[in-house]
């Protein structure tokens, strides 16, 4: 096993950014204020875009620069801007979405990271440390986003969780496989963009129909006898 | 190739045009003409592929397996658009929708058809994912079209659950790409299905196995496999009925198609069977399929909403197909392909009739829909014959395919026929205990017939009847080509 200090500087940087992204997902999980959650999400997008640029530099693949710019524009700027604008118009920017038992949730997230490494380490094909870390961390990002999705009550924080799930997948594509074919990346970016816009429209629909954005209140359809 | 371009571009162009057409009346007619043109192009495409063999492009690939689904998709699209015109006009008169939302409805309808056709014809697994996610995006605002609290809730559930589900499929796709990158040097070609299929034996089995599990969970959410099915009854019951018809008749099929395509690669990669059970993919699909089949059959008994009732029936049938594709072998695959066809024809016909029935009764609650056959015999008979067909009675096509599946099961794993037969009985009783009073029950006072077009339902049910009585030789050869492609050997 190579020591961290023996790696070339650029690879050390890539690792550091990967670790920072993982940290940001913990921050997201613990963040109760709506506006702060969106800001953390924007930072995560920025880190992801920086990481993509570093990987592009390291591997010399020019198309990765395009995806770096794409994720900077989309995930660090446009989506956070859209979410902040919509929540300001809905007057929920300063709201709290209380995290249920924050300590326990964070502990669970830590356990998830260990679990993901445990899943990945025995796989013989992942013996290369870079890919092993990449797969494990991206799996952990996905899992933590799922945890955030089920522990939140407000539509807007659920959307942030959903989008950070997408970040985890993008992380996997960048670090494990040096990006996807261009047509696929453009397609995914387009889907994310449309999804963000539809979510933006949807907030108003939810508020108009149940007069709150607590999705807890969405509980009419169920498989039980009334 | 030209036929393929026309097939794909017609719905895309129509979606753009319909997004700007203000009049709902004209929109309805454009919708019909676009789907008619698309259907003509798809027939032409099918004709070409049948005559001259598969089209293998770099980005697109049309072979025996997907060309029949393309033809089926555009046929169901056409008949649903014919049904939707008077239906949505009636909804407009009732003021359940506004002209603006009708515009959204028509544009999304065509956009949805485009994503379906794109996911069927693409050769790139990444584009397949993008198109299936696009299908969710195109339909989510349709589920909430009526803007009732229930429909908003259904759409939110649909959006989040399908979005999260399909994100797992993207992770699986990335893993597959990771495995392929070591075998296929050109990164642009490493996600192409035909390339992956050709090199399946060289892919790392462990990575592919993990990728398949993610892909099965991801696309399985869209197929509606239990326990990932929660969005399905809600989205079907709260959206406008033409939407339920295409969701059940098309989306579920296309998602299953995606699962089968990745199963073909996985089987190739695991064939050596060193590290893993070579039939891992098949066994997983059998497990999920059988669970869905049995659980959905039981849920049929507890339903109070007519559209929820039939959406559980869709889950049940999709489970059966997943089970059959998992079972593998020519007989089961042939049966599953036939079942895909007859199920989507029958189910879209049923949803069309259900739409009429709920407009007659003014509600979707089963206990308030009564005496259909006396109010409007066309609707009553349509519902009755459709349900008889979907329950698997001879002489309809569903009987033929279910019989084939049962025979295949008896051959390869006899003890599984017991839960299958029990499931058929449970589902049958679940459907008919609700159906009997709706069709024959006492006529409520003041119930009036509505304006409807009987052509789509009659056409679909006639086709299903025809497929049950005698499958035309050319169509049988068609299915057989697809069977040979999927399972390695033909039946005929």
């Amino acid at each position: 096993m190579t020591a961290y200090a023996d790696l070339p500087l650029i690879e050390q940087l890539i690792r550091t950014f990967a670790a920072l992204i993982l940290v940001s997902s913990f921050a997201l999980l613990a963040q109760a204020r709506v506006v702060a959650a969106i800001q953390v999400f924007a930072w995560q997008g920025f880190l992801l875009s920086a990481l993509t640029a570093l990987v592009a530099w390291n591997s010399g693949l020019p198309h990765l620069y395009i995806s770096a710019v794409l994720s900077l524009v989309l995930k660090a700027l446009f989506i956070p801007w859209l979410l902040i604008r919509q929540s300001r118009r809905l007057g929920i920017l300063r709201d709290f979405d209380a995290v249920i038992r924050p300590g326990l949730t964070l502990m669970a997230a830590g356990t998830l990271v260990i679990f993901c490494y445990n899943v990945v380490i025995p796989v013989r094909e992942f013996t290369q440390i870079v890919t092993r870390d990449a797969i494990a961390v991206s799996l952990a990002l996905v899992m933590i986003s799922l945890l955030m999705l089920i522990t939140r009550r407000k539509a807007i924080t659920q959307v942030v969780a959903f989008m950070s799930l997408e970040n985890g997948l993008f992380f996997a594509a960048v670090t494990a496989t040096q990006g996807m074919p261009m047509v696929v990346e453009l397609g995914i970016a387009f889907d994310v963009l449309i999804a963000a816009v539809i979510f933006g429209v949807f907030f108003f629909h939810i508020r108009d129909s149940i007069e709150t954005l607590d999705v807890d209140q969405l509980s009419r359809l169920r498989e039980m006898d009334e | 190739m030209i036929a393929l371009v026309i097939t794909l571009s017609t719905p895309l162009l129509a979606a753009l045009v319909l997004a700007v057409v203000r009049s709902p009346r004209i929109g309805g007619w454009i919708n019909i003409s676009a789907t008619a043109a698309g259907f003509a192009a798809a027939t032409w495409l099918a004709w070409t592929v049948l005559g001259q063999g598969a089209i293998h492009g770099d980005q697109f690939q049309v072979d025996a397996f997907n060309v029949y689904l393309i033809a089926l998709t555009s046929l169901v699209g056409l008949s649903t658009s014919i049904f939707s015109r008077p239906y949505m006009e009636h909804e407009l008169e009732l003021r359940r929708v506004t002209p603006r939302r009708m515009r959204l409805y028509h544009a999304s309808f065509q956009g949805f058809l485009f994503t379906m056709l794109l996911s069927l014809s693409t050769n790139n697994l990444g584009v397949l994912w993008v198109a299936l996610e696009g299908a969710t995006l195109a339909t989510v605002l349709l589920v909430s079209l009526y803007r009732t609290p229930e429909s908003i809730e259904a759409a939110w559930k649909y959006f989040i659950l399908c979005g999260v589900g399909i994100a797992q499929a993207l992770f699986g796709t990335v893993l597959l790409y990771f495995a392929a990158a070591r075998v296929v040097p050109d990164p642009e070609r490493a996600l192409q299905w035909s390339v992956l299929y050709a090199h399946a034996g060289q892919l790392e089995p462990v990575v592919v196995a993990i990728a398949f599990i993610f892909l099965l969970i991801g696309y399985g959410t869209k197929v509606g496999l239990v326990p990932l099915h929660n969005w399905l009854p809600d989205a079907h019951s709260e959206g406008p009925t033409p939407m339920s018809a295409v969701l059940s008749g098309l989306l579920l099929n296309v998602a299953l198609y995606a699962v089968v395509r990745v199963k073909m690669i996985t089987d190739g990669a695991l064939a050596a069977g060193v590290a893993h059970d070579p039939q891992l993919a098949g066994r997983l699909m059998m497990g999920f399929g059988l669970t869905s089949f049995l659980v959905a059959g039981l849920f049929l008994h507890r339903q109070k909403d007519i559209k929820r009732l039939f959406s559980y029936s869709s889950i049940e049938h999709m489970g059966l197909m997943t089970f059959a594709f998992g079972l593998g072998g020519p007989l089961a695959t042939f049966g599953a392909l036939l079942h895909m066809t007859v199920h989507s024809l029958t189910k879209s016909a049923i949803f069309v009739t259900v739409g009429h029935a709920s407009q007659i009764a003014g509600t979707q609650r089963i206990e308030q829909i009564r005496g259909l056959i006396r109010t409007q015999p066309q609707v009553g008979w349509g519902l009755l014959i459709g349900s008889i067909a979907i329950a698997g009675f001879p002489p309809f096509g569903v009987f033929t395919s279910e019989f084939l599946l049962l025979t295949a099961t008896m051959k390869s794993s006899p003890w599984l026929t017991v839960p299958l037969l029990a499931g058929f009985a449970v589902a049958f009783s679940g459907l008919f205990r609700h159906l009997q009073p709706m069709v024959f029950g006492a006529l409520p006072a003041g119930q009036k017939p509505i304006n409807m077009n009987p052509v789509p339902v009659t056409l679909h049910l006639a086709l299903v009847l025809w497929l049950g009585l005698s499958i035309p030789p050319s169509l049988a050869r068609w299915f057989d080509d697809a069977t040979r492609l999927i399972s390695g050997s033909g039946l005929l």
Side-chain angles (χ1 to χ4, degrees), chain B residues 405-429:
Chain B
L405 296 182
L406 211 56
T407 320
T409 315
M410 224 177 276
K411 260 187 186 168
S412 52
S413 30
W415 50 276
L416 281 181
T417 41
V418 180
L420 272 189
L421 282 172
F424 283 133
V426 169
F428 164 77
S429 55

Side-chain angles (χ1 to χ4, degrees), chain A residues 77-130:
Chain A
L77 301 173
F78 177 73
I79 294 178
W81 170 79
L82 184 78
L83 289 177
I84 287 194
R85 178 169 159 264
Q86 301 296 68
S87 27
R88 182 172 295 135
R89 282 171 60 185
L90 290 164
I92 53 164
L93 197 59
R94 306 280 154 198
D95 275 14
F96 274 87
D97 183 7
V99 186
I100 318 153
R101 296 176 185 271
L104 205 61
T105 313
L106 283 175
M107 291 274 281
T111 319
L112 279 178
V113 177
I114 299 170
F115 167 76
C116 292
Y117 264 95
N118 253 324
V119 170
V120 169
I121 286 174
V123 181
R124 196 160 32 91
E125 285 69 28
F126 298 150
T127 37
Q128 250 187 317
I129 304 173
V130 185

Side-chain angles (χ1 to χ4, degrees), chain A residues 63 119 123-126 128 131 135 138-139 142-143 146 149 154-156 158-159 162 165-166 168-170 172-173 176-184 187-188 190-192 194-196 198-199 201-203 205-206 209-210 215 217-226, chain B residues 59 124-127 129-131 133-134 137-138 140-141 144 147-157 159-160 162-164 166-168 170-171 173-175 177-178 181-182 187-189 191 204-207 210 214 233-234 237-238 275 299 302-304 308 312 365:
Chain A
H63 80 269
V119 170
V123 181
R124 196 160 32 91
E125 285 69 28
F126 298 150
Q128 250 187 317
T131 44
I135 302 276
S138 57
L139 202 55
V142 170
M143 294 278 181
L146 287 176
L149 202 58
K154 286 217 188 298
I156 195 139
Q158 287 198 345
V159 170
F162 183 85
L165 179 78
E166 208 85 48
L169 298 169
F170 186 79
T177 61
Q178 269 92 52
M180 304 277 269
M182 204 61 227
V183 53
V184 179
I188 294 174
F190 179 73
D191 276 355
V192 171
I194 302 286
I198 293 183
F199 273 127
V201 176
F202 228 95
F203 294 143
H205 293 180
I206 295 183
S209 80
I210 58 172
V215 282
Q217 307 295 318
L218 292 175
S219 57
R220 289 164 186 248
L221 301 168
R222 52 174 72 194
E223 225 39 82
M224 304 256 215
D225 292 324
E226 286 128 51
Chain B
Q59 289 305 320
N124 190 321
L125 288 176
V127 176
W129 184 87
V130 171
E133 168 81 2
L137 299 176
V140 69
L141 286 181
S144 66
R147 302 283 159 80
T148 56
E150 286 85 3
S151 70
I152 299 276
E153 178 184 343
W156 182 256
K157 234 177 179 176
F159 204 178
I160 294 284
C162 275
V164 167
I166 205 154
Q168 313 300 319
L170 183 59
F171 197 76
T173 310
V174 171
L175 281 178
Y177 185 60
F178 171 74
R182 308 184 154 198
E188 289 297 317
R189 287 166 55 78
L191 262 184
E204 291 288 351
V206 183
V207 182
I210 301 177
F214 276 100
D234 298 347
S237 62
E238 300 307 323
F299 267 117
R302 300 176 55 100
Q303 297 313 310
K304 299 196 155 119
R308 285 182 87 86
Y312 272 104
R365 292 190 70 78

Side-chain angles (χ1 to χ4, degrees), chain A residues 23-116:
Chain A
V23 171
S24 73
S25 79
F26 274 85
L28 209 51
L29 188 66
Q31 199 50 263
R33 280 171 59 213
V34 169
V35 61
I38 299 173
Q39 279 162 356
V40 173
F41 171 73
W43 274 107
Q44 192 178 51
F46 172 75
L47 288 170
L48 198 59
S49 142
L51 177 88
T52 315
L54 284 172
V55 173
W57 176 266
N58 193 27
S59 60
L61 292 169
H63 80 269
L64 274 181
Y65 286 114
I66 304 176
S67 29
V69 174
L70 213 60
S71 66
L72 180 72
V73 173
L74 204 61
K75 287 171 178 157
L77 301 173
F78 177 73
I79 294 178
W81 170 79
L82 184 78
L83 289 177
I84 287 194
R85 178 169 159 264
Q86 301 296 68
S87 27
R88 182 172 295 135
R89 282 171 60 185
L90 290 164
I92 53 164
L93 197 59
R94 306 280 154 198
D95 275 14
F96 274 87
D97 183 7
V99 186
I100 318 153
R101 296 176 185 271
L104 205 61
T105 313
L106 283 175
M107 291 274 281
T111 319
L112 279 178
V113 177
I114 299 170
F115 167 76
C116 292

Side-chain angles (χ1 to χ4, degrees), chain B residues 22 26 50 79 140 162-163 272 298 381-382 385 394 423 439 468 486:
Chain B
R22 281 173 187 282
I26 299 174
L50 273 186
S79 48
V140 69
C162 275
L298 288 172
W381 281 108
I385 296 175
V439 175
I486 300 169

